[in-house]
Amino acid sequence: MCGIVGYTGAQSAAPILLAGLKNLEYRGYDSAGIAVLDKGAISMAKASGQIKNLCQKTNDGAELHGSAGIGHTRWATHGAPTDTNAHPHLSNDGKFAVVHNGIIENYMALREELMEEGFVFASETDTEVIVHLLDLYFKATGDCKLAVMKAASRLEGSYALGVICAERPGRVYAVKEASPLILGVGIGENFFASDVTALIAHTKNIIYLDDGEFAEITPDRITVYDCAGTPKKKPIFRVAWDIEAAEKGGYEHFMLKEIMEQPRALKATIEPRIKDGRIAFEGLPDDYLAGIEKIVISACGSAYYAGCAGRYAIEELCRIPVETELASELRYRNPLIDEHTLLIVISQSGETADTIAAVRECKARGAKTLAIVNVVGSTIAKLADNVIYTWAGPEIAVATTKGYTTQVAALNMFAVYAAERLGRISPERYAALVEALRSMPERVQRAIDLNKNIPELAKRYHDNQSLFFIGRNIDYAICLEGSLKLKEISYLHSEAYAAGELKHGTIALIEEGRLVISVACHEALFDKMMSNIKEVKARGAKVLAVVLEGNRRIFSEADDVLFVPVGEPLFMAAIEIVPLQLFAYHMARENGCDIDKPKNLAKSVTVE
Ligand code: G6P
């Protein structure tokens, strides 16, 4: 949700900032802007719409001179996505420019206070109060570092800020509270950004800034201070992946690339954790589940749906009650959570505001917390008692694919691990399940290879304006994610229903030609699904079925069929979703949608 980037070095800053912003565009793309320091003055350019508009306006950055600067790509919260509301924001005297990711909750009170002081506001944003506070405290102290510290101390809410000051050439400042921010360590040049993808072309050496810390950055030096202004020594981490991971690599869209990467991503999640036929999670003690009476899985969006799918295996194998709850709901209830509860939170980015709040809420109630997260060093990874990283590599497309499947795989692995620790499965079943986990990557590859007809199907079905997904058991959980995938990138209305629930209302919407995607891979419930398929067919629906490879009975009812390879029924989720991801992708492509950057969405949702 908004991306920020900063640079100081010997090169021209503007092209570097623009390239960094392009890599952060998945965080928001309503408008963008950059500000660059040159000869004691700040020059700035902003444009509404995607970053390409800003590139055009600035001749790819050639029109802004200077070797230190800050940039921003916006997902609008306060004020429409206009040029005026776009960041950076300037102080009235033009000496400070600021970019901000997050929300300043007390901005109304600060705005009134600053207006009384005579500051004039140009935009409707919450961010603009920050730049006037900087101006106020700089005039009072003459010390830029102190001004940044004092301004930050007045802010309530979440922020990652980048600041430049016309009177401090070659210097950029970065400060954070509850929004992601990392520093990039180069040679004769240094950086900050919302995440690694913006910096990986320049450096793999990263410092993770913690909440309340701020950094003063020059071409040769990064100094990190705590909120009292005392310098701190920070470790430098080396990023484990290369620039290619953040590029399209010949694919038309990041989403397609990331779908195709799933076998590799799953292998990276699963293989290193199986040693001599046994599952081991780093940091989890042998008696991890001692005293646990209930597991609550909480997350947002697709991560929540990964939890819905993963729940079946945990409950089935461990025989512990598992509840799933949206993080945005959990945080505002008075949930029955105590020291006998294990909270599993799931988040690709590790920065989703509601998920962070759910962890805090449950920790305060004494629960043990385990996070399944993709981004190393993210807020949720640091907040939870234990972490299982998904090792999917950077995910750029807003609609998650490999993020989701690796989350499901991590949950499936945890189910087997926990069941064994609790003594609830036989050694033979354990060995068979470990084997099933190991075969997941190749089965996902098979699910990709089996369904070459999907582009054709999308041509046939893309102008259906309203669709339904139906399934039972894990197949139902897959429907939830398949339906979300389709609606978020193709803008078609779609809903997922537990197949047995159709007759309680939704069947009223089934009519001639309505497309019903019927996921029927759960063999034990196949006959029940066939009855539901017959019910919708009898009312004129067209049926696109997803079934196990080799199933012939489906041909008597379905209009079209997608196949997935046979395997352990408890671990079908990561396999079954693959044709539905591809279907969503090709439907969106047929409809000419901006697949990697769907309208109104952002990948990292750092607001409530
Ligand atoms: C946004 C993204 C979704 C994602 C959800 C949760 O809505 O567009 O793809 O599932 O946030 O994100 P997280 O990073 O916590 O998994």
Side-chain angles (χ1 to χ4, degrees), residues 300-303 346-350 352 355 398-400 407 488 602-603 605:
C300 302
S302 293
I346 310 169
S347 177
Q348 189 285 127
S349 64
T352 303
T355 313
V398 166
T400 180
Q407 287 161 354
E488 66 185 341
K603 188 155 189 70
V605 182

Side-chain angles (χ1 to χ4, degrees), residues 348-424:
Q348 189 285 127
S349 64
E351 301 295 347
T352 303
D354 286 319
T355 313
I356 294 171
V359 183
R360 292 210 166 106
E361 179 64 36
C362 295
K363 275 187 102 164
R365 286 166 190 260
K368 208 176 227 187
T369 53
L370 172 66
I372 296 178
V373 170
N374 193 37
V375 177
V376 176
S378 55
T379 305
I380 294 172
K382 287 190 209 152
L383 198 60
D385 302 325
N386 295 93
V387 188
I388 299 176
Y389 282 112
T390 44
W391 304 127
E395 194 180 58
I396 313 288
V398 166
T400 180
T401 51
K402 63 176 181 172
Y404 169 89
T405 42
T406 52
Q407 287 161 354
V408 170
L411 285 166
N412 290 168
M413 281 195 99
F414 179 77
V416 183
Y417 161 88
E420 198 253 357
R421 287 296 140 103
L422 291 165
R424 306 243 156 104

Side-chain angles (χ1 to χ4, degrees), residues 35-43 65-66 68 94-95 164-167 169:
V36 172
L37 265 176
D38 187 32
K39 298 189 192 91
I42 291 174
S43 48
H65 305 287
K95 286 202 172 146
I164 51 173
C165 173
E167 294 192 11

Side-chain angles (χ1 to χ4, degrees), residues 308-323:
C308 294
R311 167 197 176 168
Y312 289 89
I314 300 177
E315 209 163 54
E316 175 67 29
L317 297 174
C318 300
R319 305 315 294 157
I320 292 182
V322 183
E323 293 168 10

